[in-house]
Amino acid sequence: MGPPPGHHALLTSGDESLNLYGYRKIRIRTYLFYVLSVLTLGVFRLLCHWKVDWLLHFRARKSSLEDADYILVIDEHQTESIREVRTLRNEKGMAMPRADGSMETVRAMRTFSFRKCVYVWVAERQAFTLPSDLASKMSLGLLHDIADDNECGLSGDEVDRRKATFGPNLIDVKLRPLWLLLFREAISPFYIFQAFSVTVWFLDEYYYYAAVIVIISVTSIMVDVWQIRSQEKKLRAMVHSTEMVAVIRNGGEVVQVSSDELVPGDVMVIPRHGCVLPCDAALLNGTVIVSEAMLTGESVPVTKVAVSVHDSERNLHFDLETHAKHVLFCGTNVLQTRYYAGHHVKAVVLRTAFSTLKGQLVRSIMYPKPIDFRFTRDLFKFVGFLACLAAVGFVFTIVVMMYRQAPAHTIIIRALDIITIVVPPALPAAMSVGIIAANLRLRRKNIFCISPSVINTCGATNVVCFDKTGTLTEDGLDFHRARAVNRRSEGKVPLFSAEAGTLDVALHKELIRAIACCHSLTRIDGVLTGDPLDLILFEQTRWSLTEGGDEMAEDENYDTIQPMLLRPPQSHPTYGGCTVIRQFPFSSSLQRMSVIVQAPQEADSTHDMTLYVKGSPEMIRSLCHPESIPMDFDDVIAGYARHGFRIIAVARTDVEMTYAKAHKVPREEVEHDLELVGVIVLENRIKPQTTGVIQQLTKADIRSIMVTGDNLLTAASVARESGILHPAKKVYALEHTHDKDEHGRTKLTLRLEFDPSDGGENGSGSGVNGNGSIAGNMGIRLLGKNGKDLERASSPVIGAIAARYQMVITGPTFAVLTHEYPELLDLLVCSCAVFARMSPDQKQALIHHLQAIDYTVAMCGDGANDCAALKAAHAGISLSEAEASIAAPFTSKTADISCVPAVIAEGRAALVTSFGVFQYMACYSMTQFMTVLFLYTMPTNLLDLQFLYIDFFLITLVALFFGNTPACKKLSMQAPPTRLLSLPTIISVVGQLVIIFTIQTSVFFWSRAQEWNPGFHQEPDNDQTPSFEGTSLLLVTGFQYITLAVVYSKGAPFRKGLVSNKPLCFVLLLTSIVHLLLCIFPMDWSNSVLSLKPIPSGAPRFYLIGFAIVSGIGCLIFEKLIVTKVYEHVRRSRRAARARRDPSLAATSFERLLLQSGESPTWVHTAVVDPPSSPTREFAAAAAELTTTIDHPYETVDHPVRSHEGIANPQTVVEERA
């Protein structure tokens, strides 16, 4: 029987997607659940805690969400959580948001809470919804009416109703009680097993080691709780704040209330000089200058403008992404407001508490993405395998003990004790030593980790994504060159002026005026503030900026006749100043900003104005008259871009309009038919450490990818200079046009951007010809220089598993592929090295897609626009100390990428340490298991102090210092193992155990056959009677434990040699000497304390030493020679050869894709000619959904190259440039 209708729903809010499943409580099942929990002393309830679906199965049945008592919530990481549906009642009424953002009053409301947010059942939508998602989508007409209403404001009763729904406006990180933290840590499976083991040991009177395990476990729990509490305190200190704010209520009355009293729909009064926004709000009037560094890491002030509504837009809904320039986000710092003197700057509250943008960031920190690492999964599987062996030992012990007619108490204790031997309770503590040691070493390198469990994952990193500006290159820009366009007379072609290292008024008059006017700079407390690029350019002009009238205060400078006056220096007497009438702010999707200015001394009338526009060369070129573009424009731009310079193009046009129209005209009506004024070239230097780090990663076979919002050519140049683009590989640029093919899909173009066989130059090297046309287009065939077809690679790569070429792409094209060519995404992300013009959401989508094809991804960014990608990556490394970077697991105090190989190296060392510790502990437990089984056949056992001597002195002390071996400074090309259940690991463990078992068997029967062994005689009521067999096994296995520590304390290529770990060397030397003395020169007191039978001096003792030496040499040779040198080398070679013969046999998805990629990207042709009927990957749909919100800005942007002149059939020919 299937689930009832309405059982499941997908809830999407912001970046979060939740699958909801409804369940209705069944009383009889619930009663049985409680009875079982009581009868099993809580064990059944504990199992249901670990298995959430069991809890639902025993207490409820499937139902519709409308009738549900419980909601099963499954997030995008498949984490399950059960939430109870509660019905809230309030006789005074509660505000229920409607789909249009308005409110209705209800007396009851069904809700459930999940991760600090309360979701309500909306009957008209038949779905659970976050109330703030509806409240923030009020109509633009309603916003306009609120702005125009001088008597606006909520009444006291309405505030109470909304507060009942939305709760207090608090991002409150509550400190959970210590007892709750301790309890949650203690009920993890490992600690429960430790509690079981300690109980068995105490019943067996094995007090000493039980006490040691108790101390270790309690200490471990206390440390974990302390880390959780300290992180909660830090987060609470960062986000918890309340202050008094002014709001308009009760028909226009301005009252002071605490910020936690704000509700959606409240009208705030923004103070003139500074505050921290306590909520997300839409600006209703005036302008506000804010710093959004807390959210983006970008310290550049941002100007927010009021919502302007045309009559045709009144019914449209406010959208937080589309109208972001009108939104004051929670946590941002207000630097200054501007409006008419004596008037308030007002904003209407949209979202409060954890539903705000800051609240979402805090939630992502409080509930991070779970670590999904194969090593961890294999660890639990291996423990399960050990548990199966323990079950075999359990049955064997019962059978042997019953055969020996042992008492029932002894049978139970011995049978349970064998389980604690096979599965070592100290395993969790031992597994963490490598991570703790690596974290301490990273701290000494000024790299701080807030999630140490991620360190192991870093060791498996095989691709690193880098932001460009501030990460690979310096933050600042330096003025490099200026080139004006010399306007010629009618019919003449414009030309670029000669390069100039400074701005000269004689050569660059109009260019100087343009960059002096076209910027977003402002004065805050008398200091010129704004984008660093604008500051650099403005300082080059030596003009001065004055805002408002001479006696007007800064915060009253709004909508004045003369809001901003720009004056040239005295040395520029040829022209007067300019007044900025209107400013269109910079838009990353439009790639430009513009201003409308007037030069009063030169204008013939008050209607004569000039529009100046600056932005990316591609965008400005598309907006200009073709007649104003120099013939060599593309070559000049590409020439600078190839050398890593940042280029800003500047254009102008004359406009004639009134002041009123200038303040209301949409930018699209004036930003066209421009005249190119010139270009400014800025230098963005690569950081000194960048090239060396990229080379180090490349030598270690770790891919480096650039993901930036900058221009493609500039990004490709920096990638070439830093080594991300390999000098020996061809580089192809994949682009899209605005034409559609016969299948209704956007046409794709592919051009050869770089060919090493031509000395690194491809014609002009620009990728576009002098006419501005695309040089080629991927279609039916590739044409070479002689016009003949280039041979297509139809066979897999014969060399190493790596792409034979690299690709570059822009964000708009990536969005087209995501929506229309999802089948290309897998191959694209395997071979593409530069992603330019990428939005934050696209960066995140790229990270997700790399992960979907089995890459382990690290992301390194400076915090500006990188937060989403830093959170999405397996290992995010932030170079910014902005508060947004707390979402990244790693933060480097050194602002360069030298931290990346350090993190990877320490991750590899920690991962290898974890492997070694686990193999060591598994072999130790199985070695002791063999010893105990041998003795059970007599029947006897090791004595308590003998167990203590082994478990604490020989094992615990060694495991404690296992992780102190430092990482190798040089990254090896060989990747560390990530699978515990891989064949080499299993062969290693099994081989060691076979050798150990053989030696133990020999020692057991050798000692039994000796003349000095009178035979075993069990003492009455003593199942731990000392024996010569037990003594012989203890003396030999002691050396076996020491040998195992040496075998699994591996050095190169991921860690330094054993001798570099001085504490471990000291412990091994100490245990070896003590055990050797115990074997050769035993003292009476040592034999008495450990209850050892005295082995005759002379030959018998040296025979035991001989057994230990044979065992040690056999173990070392097997591991170091057979497993490491021979088997793994042969296995890797055969696997690589097999994968080349049949790509489907490759170990990972990305290796299979690389083997299929061929010598050139002909797979683009396959997709264009033969499109699939449906996407080949489910991920494509998710990626398309993720980029939906970022695709539409590009729909209004013309392609940088408007025409395709010179191509006979752009759909069928690609020309390889000479």
Side-chain angles (χ1 to χ4, degrees):
M1 184 178 178
H7 169 63
H8 167 253
L10 177 64
L11 190 155
T12 302
S13 176
D15 294 334
E16 189 174 49
S17 294
L18 304 175
N19 283 285
L20 307 182
Y21 299 87
Y23 288 85
R24 191 166 183 81
K25 182 168 61 176
I26 301 177
R27 292 185 179 276
I28 185 64
R29 289 188 184 181
T30 303
Y31 293 146
L32 289 174
F33 170 81
Y34 286 123
V35 169
L36 281 173
S37 299
V38 173
L39 292 178
T40 58
L41 302 179
V43 173
F44 178 71
R45 180 63 184 88
L46 186 61
L47 292 175
C48 290
H49 172 75
W50 295 335
K51 293 285 292 180
V52 173
D53 53 336
W54 289 12
L55 185 62
L56 280 174
H57 178 75
F58 281 100
R59 298 187 63 178
R61 60 174 173 80
K62 295 179 180 179
S63 72
S64 65
L65 291 170
E66 186 176 11
D67 301 323
D69 297 314
Y70 300 106
I71 302 293
L72 174 62
V73 184
I74 304 178
D75 66 10
E76 58 267 33
H77 308 302
Q78 302 306 305
T79 303
E80 297 180 346
S81 180
I82 298 176
R83 313 307 299 171
E84 184 176 358
V85 178
R86 300 178 183 275
T87 300
L88 302 181
R89 301 185 186 279
N90 191 322
E91 293 303 321
K92 294 183 179 180
M94 295 174 286
M96 171 68 78
R98 294 192 182 97
D100 61 356
S102 61
M103 301 285 178
E104 64 174 323
T105 302
V106 296
R107 297 286 185 268
M109 186 182 298
R110 297 178 67 245
T111 70
F112 75 90
S113 62
F114 179 71
R115 294 180 180 174
K116 301 296 183 180
C117 287
V118 177
Y119 298 85
V120 302
W121 177 259
V122 181
E124 65 176 324
R125 296 168 61 101
Q126 286 293 294
F128 281 102
T129 308
L130 196 63
S132 58
D133 284 351
L134 296 178
S136 62
K137 293 180 180 179
M138 60 180 69
S139 66
L140 296 181
L142 179 59
L143 280 175
H144 184 265
D145 294 340
I146 295 174
D148 289 345
D149 186 3
N150 293 324
E151 298 182 355
C152 61
L154 303 176
S155 65
D157 291 340
E158 181 63 21
V159 169
D160 291 338
R161 286 192 290 270
R162 298 193 181 201
K163 193 181 297 182
T165 300
F166 296 96
N169 178 34
L170 278 176
I171 302 178
D172 188 16
V173 180
K174 294 182 179 179
L175 300 179
R176 287 174 288 180
L178 286 175
W179 68 266
L180 179 60
L181 294 176
L182 289 168
F183 179 75
R184 288 190 173 180
E185 286 293 315
I187 61 174
S188 68
F190 275 119
Y191 287 124
I192 291 296
F193 179 72
Q194 284 183 332
F196 162 77
S197 301
V198 168
T199 303
V200 172
W201 291 336
F202 273 113
L203 292 174
D204 196 25
E205 299 180 357
Y206 184 32
Y207 301 122
Y208 304 107
Y209 190 61
V212 170
I213 291 297
V214 169
I215 293 172
I216 291 176
S217 300
V218 171
T219 303
S220 178
I221 292 175
M222 296 291 287
V223 169
D224 290 342
V225 169
W226 175 79
Q227 288 180 339
I228 294 172
R229 174 52 63 92
S230 61
Q231 289 182 13
E232 285 182 346
K233 286 183 176 179
K234 288 179 182 178
L235 190 59
R236 180 186 177 91
M238 183 187 84
V239 303
H240 184 72
S241 64
T242 57
E243 57 186 50
M244 299 303 292
V245 295
V247 295
I248 301 176
R249 287 182 177 170
N250 300 318
E253 180 184 357
V254 178
V255 296
Q256 295 287 329
V257 300
S258 175
S259 58
D260 60 4
E261 298 290 323
L262 292 174
V263 295
D266 258 332
V267 178
M268 294 176 56
V269 175
I270 309 298
R272 293 186 174 185
H273 290 283
C275 72
V276 176
L277 264 298
C279 59
D280 289 349
L283 187 61
L284 297 177
N285 55 20
T287 59
V288 177
I289 303 172
V290 299
S291 169
E292 295 184 339
M294 198 287 298
L295 298 177
T296 65
E298 183 63 70
S299 59
V300 176
V302 179
T303 300
K304 300 289 185 175
V305 297
V307 179
S308 58
V309 182
H310 296 286
D311 291 339
S312 60
E313 299 175 335
R314 288 187 61 87
N315 293 326
L316 297 179
H317 291 285
F318 188 84
D319 183 79
L320 287 164
E321 293 185 2
T322 306
H323 302 98
K325 63 182 179 181
H326 311 303
V327 180
L328 306 174
F329 290 105
C330 179
T332 56
N333 188 21
V334 174
L335 303 177
Q336 192 179 81
T337 65
R338 295 183 176 182
Y339 199 46
Y340 300 116
H343 290 75
H344 297 304
V345 175
K346 298 183 295 185
V348 61
V349 177
L350 300 176
R351 302 188 298 191
T352 58
F354 282 97
S355 61
T356 63
L357 191 61
K358 180 181 177 181
Q360 293 173 14
L361 173 62
V362 174
R363 291 174 66 221
S364 69
I365 299 171
M366 296 177 67
Y367 307 100
K369 179 178 67 174
I371 303 299
D372 183 21
F373 191 35
R374 287 174 292 182
F375 175 81
T376 307
R377 297 196 299 269
D378 286 353
L379 175 61
F380 282 99
K381 291 179 182 178
F382 209 109
V383 170
F385 171 72
L386 292 179
C388 293
L389 288 181
V392 174
F394 180 83
V395 174
F396 175 81
T397 302
I398 292 176
V399 172
V400 170
M401 290 291 180
M402 291 180 67
Y403 177 76
R404 297 285 186 178
Q405 296 182 349
H409 173 267
T410 302
I411 294 175
I412 295 173
I413 293 298
R414 290 289 162 259
L416 294 177
D417 188 39
I418 205 72
I419 298 176
T420 68
I421 292 173
V422 178
V423 185
L427 184 61
M431 292 295 293
S432 64
V433 295
I435 294 174
I436 293 172
N439 195 16
L440 292 175
R441 290 193 295 267
L442 286 173
R443 281 180 173 271
R444 289 196 288 269
K445 297 175 183 177
N446 286 325
I447 302 171
F448 298 90
C449 179
I450 63 172
S451 181
S453 59
V454 179
I455 294 177
N456 264 355
T457 311
C458 296
T461 298
N462 45 28
V463 61
V464 183
C465 298
F466 294 98
D467 180 39
K468 183 179 78 69
T469 307
T471 303
L472 298 174
T473 62
E474 302 286 355
D475 273 319
L477 293 167
D478 296 323
F479 181 86
H480 181 68
R481 293 286 187 271
R483 298 192 70 172
V485 173
N486 296 324
R487 288 176 285 176
R488 297 295 183 89
S489 56
E490 187 72 24
K492 296 287 185 178
V493 178
L495 298 174
F496 275 116
S497 65
E499 288 186 341
T502 58
L503 292 174
D504 186 346
V505 66
L507 298 174
H508 312 111
K509 176 180 178 180
E510 193 65 18
L511 184 59
I512 291 174
R513 175 182 284 180
I515 61 178
C517 298
C518 191
H519 54 73
S520 58
L521 301 178
T522 186
R523 290 194 180 276
I524 299 177
D525 297 330
V527 179
L528 202 59
T529 308
D531 190 298
L533 184 147
D534 288 342
L535 280 170
I536 292 168
L537 296 181
F538 189 75
E539 289 171 356
Q540 287 291 321
T541 66
R542 292 176 291 166
W543 283 41
S544 61
L545 182 151
T546 304
E547 294 181 300
D550 295 336
E551 298 180 357
M552 182 178 292
E554 288 179 1
D555 57 1
E556 296 174 1
N557 175 27
Y558 176 80
D559 201 24
T560 57
I561 297 299
Q562 199 176 43
M564 182 183 294
L565 180 62
L566 298 144
R567 296 187 178 95
Q570 296 296 327
S571 58
H572 294 182
T574 56
Y575 49 49
C578 295
T579 300
V580 177
I581 307 299
R582 174 83 180 277
Q583 179 187 105
F584 299 105
F586 175 78
S587 167
S588 58
S589 60
L590 300 179
Q591 302 175 26
R592 64 184 184 269
M593 76 160 293
S594 58
V595 291
I596 299 176
V597 304
Q598 186 179 56
Q601 298 180 7
E602 301 177 15
D604 294 331
S605 73
T606 57
H607 295 175
D608 290 340
M609 300 179 186
T610 304
L611 175 79
Y612 289 116
V613 185
K614 73 174 181 184
S616 67
E618 307 99 319
M619 179 53 60
I620 300 302
R621 186 189 197 284
S622 69
L623 298 175
C624 286
H625 271 298
E627 293 80 8
S628 72
I629 305 295
M631 291 290 292
D632 59 347
F633 177 86
D634 297 310
D635 293 338
V636 169
I637 297 301
Y640 286 121
R642 281 203 315 275
H643 291 87
F645 294 109
R646 184 169 181 180
I647 308 107
I648 302 296
V650 183
R652 69 176 299 279
T653 188
D654 294 324
V655 293
E656 186 173 349
M657 60 183 65
T658 63
Y659 284 103
K661 184 178 180 180
H663 280 286
K664 295 181 179 179
V665 64
R667 64 192 303 170
E668 293 81 9
E669 291 187 14
V670 291
E671 291 178 343
H672 61 85
D673 296 332
L674 306 178
E675 179 183 352
L676 187 66
V677 174
V679 295
I680 301 296
V681 183
L682 299 157
E683 187 175 11
N684 191 196
R685 294 188 179 93
I686 288 182
K687 292 181 179 179
Q689 301 83 1
T690 296
T691 303
V693 169
I694 299 299
Q695 289 176 352
Q696 189 177 358
L697 295 176
T698 302
K699 289 178 181 178
D701 200 22
I702 298 173
R703 276 185 68 194
S704 296
I705 297 176
M706 180 190 292
V707 191
T708 178
D710 209 341
N711 170 277
L712 177 60
L713 290 176
T714 303
S717 171
V718 173
R720 176 76 60 195
E721 185 178 351
S722 63
I724 292 177
L725 288 177
H726 199 280
K729 292 183 179 181
K730 291 183 179 181
V731 177
Y732 293 89
L734 183 62
E735 297 175 333
H736 72 285
T737 70
H738 288 288
D739 300 325
K740 299 289 184 179
D741 62 14
E742 62 271 20
H743 304 289
R745 300 197 298 181
T746 303
K747 290 183 179 180
L748 299 178
T749 68
L750 182 74
R751 70 167 184 268
L752 184 62
E753 188 78 15
F754 177 85
D755 189 351
S757 64
D758 292 338
E761 292 295 335
N762 239 1
S764 66
S766 64
V768 287
N769 61 29
N771 295 324
S773 63
I774 297 288
N777 188 37
M778 187 62 201
I780 291 179
R781 65 188 193 275
L782 288 165
L783 297 183
K785 290 178 286 187
N786 57 4
K788 296 182 179 180
D789 285 359
L790 291 176
E791 181 181 359
R792 290 181 185 166
S794 58
S795 60
V797 180
I798 302 302
I801 301 180
R804 290 295 185 91
Y805 53 87
Q806 291 176 294
M807 301 184 70
V808 295
I809 194 172
T810 61
T813 305
F814 183 78
V816 169
L817 262 67
T818 300
H819 289 279
E820 302 182 34
Y821 297 88
E823 70 276 8
L824 296 183
L825 284 174
D826 285 351
L827 286 164
L828 173 73
V829 299
C830 280
S831 56
C832 192
V834 176
F835 294 82
R837 297 294 189 207
M838 296 284 280
S839 72
D841 286 340
Q842 286 178 315
K843 291 182 181 181
Q844 184 184 31
L846 172 63
I847 297 294
H848 285 315
H849 206 98
L850 287 167
Q851 292 170 334
I853 56 174
D854 295 338
Y855 275 112
T856 302
V857 187
M859 172 71 195
C860 183
D862 63 350
N865 298 323
D866 298 322
C867 294
L870 288 170
K871 289 185 290 183
H874 288 105
I877 307 171
S878 173
L879 305 184
S880 169
E881 295 186 44
E883 290 174 336
S885 70
I886 196 172
F890 297 94
T891 301
S892 174
K893 298 291 184 181
T894 305
D896 60 62
I897 64 171
S898 60
C899 60
V900 173
V903 169
I904 295 175
E906 292 296 348
R908 288 182 167 189
L911 185 57
V912 170
T913 299
S914 296
F915 261 84
V917 167
F918 186 83
Q919 290 172 298
Y920 172 64
M921 296 295 288
C923 287
Y924 138 70
S925 64
M926 295 306 298
T927 300
Q928 195 174 77
F929 176 62
M930 295 174 194
T931 303
V932 171
L933 289 185
F934 274 122
L935 297 180
Y936 275 4
T937 61
M938 296 181 60
T940 186
N941 195 4
L942 295 173
L943 279 75
D944 289 347
L945 288 178
Q946 292 175 351
F947 272 121
L948 182 64
Y949 173 75
I950 295 172
D951 295 340
F952 182 72
F953 183 68
L954 295 181
I955 302 300
T956 304
L957 285 181
V958 172
L960 190 63
F961 299 106
F962 220 91
N964 281 35
T965 306
C968 283
K969 292 184 178 180
K970 182 180 178 181
L971 292 176
S972 169
M973 185 175 180
Q974 179 183 345
T978 58
R979 299 293 303 270
L980 265 182
L981 299 184
S982 63
L983 206 54
T985 304
I986 295 173
I987 288 176
S988 172
V989 172
V990 172
Q992 297 294 338
L993 293 177
V994 168
I995 295 172
I996 290 170
F997 176 77
T998 303
I999 296 299
Q1000 284 200 31
T1001 304
S1002 302
V1003 170
F1004 181 78
F1005 288 106
W1006 171 83
S1007 63
R1008 173 168 287 188
Q1010 297 305 303
E1011 296 178 355
W1012 40 264
N1013 184 354
F1016 177 70
H1017 300 284
Q1018 185 176 9
E1019 299 173 0
D1021 299 327
N1022 184 6
D1023 62 342
Q1024 290 183 314
T1025 303
S1027 64
F1028 281 100
E1029 291 87 347
T1031 300
S1032 300
L1033 286 173
L1034 174 67
L1035 294 176
V1036 173
T1037 55
F1039 288 111
Q1040 290 179 329
Y1041 297 133
I1042 296 171
T1043 302
L1044 288 172
V1046 175
V1047 165
Y1048 289 120
S1049 183
K1050 296 183 179 180
F1054 308 114
R1055 304 197 306 171
K1056 293 183 178 179
L1058 178 60
V1059 294
S1060 64
N1061 190 342
K1062 291 181 174 55
L1064 181 59
C1065 288
F1066 173 76
V1067 170
L1068 290 175
L1069 183 62
L1070 175 64
T1071 54
S1072 299
I1073 292 174
V1074 170
H1075 201 69
L1076 189 63
L1077 291 175
L1078 193 64
C1079 186
I1080 300 178
F1081 305 109
M1083 302 294 182
D1084 292 338
W1085 64 268
S1086 62
N1087 286 341
S1088 175
V1089 170
L1090 294 177
S1091 300
L1092 298 177
K1093 285 286 189 177
I1095 303 294
S1097 61
R1101 297 179 184 179
F1102 286 102
Y1103 268 115
L1104 294 177
I1105 297 297
F1107 280 120
I1109 291 174
V1110 171
S1111 176
I1113 292 175
C1115 290
L1116 287 170
I1117 290 176
F1118 180 79
E1119 183 67 26
K1120 303 296 183 183
L1121 184 61
I1122 296 178
V1123 175
T1124 304
K1125 300 295 183 183
V1126 178
Y1127 173 74
E1128 288 194 1
H1129 175 73
V1130 172
R1131 179 173 175 268
R1132 281 197 300 268
S1133 301
R1134 288 183 176 178
R1135 187 176 65 179
R1138 221 170 30 243
R1140 294 186 192 104
R1141 288 195 302 269
D1142 184 358
S1144 64
L1145 298 177
T1148 60
S1149 296
F1150 68 83
E1151 287 179 341
R1152 291 192 289 273
L1153 290 164
L1154 288 171
L1155 287 167
Q1156 296 168 8
S1157 61
E1159 298 281 352
S1160 62
T1162 52
W1163 40 269
V1164 177
H1165 157 77
T1166 304
V1168 169
V1169 174
D1170 186 21
S1173 58
S1174 62
T1176 59
R1177 293 187 59 88
E1178 292 181 3
F1179 177 83
E1185 182 180 349
L1186 182 60
T1187 55
T1188 298
T1189 57
I1190 56 172
D1191 197 22
H1192 63 82
Y1194 299 107
E1195 293 174 359
T1196 59
V1197 180
D1198 290 336
H1199 193 272
V1201 181
R1202 282 184 163 182
S1203 59
H1204 292 268
E1205 295 91 343
I1207 301 179
N1209 187 352
Q1211 177 61 21
T1212 59
V1213 178
V1214 146
E1215 191 174 276
E1216 186 178 6
R1217 297 178 63 88

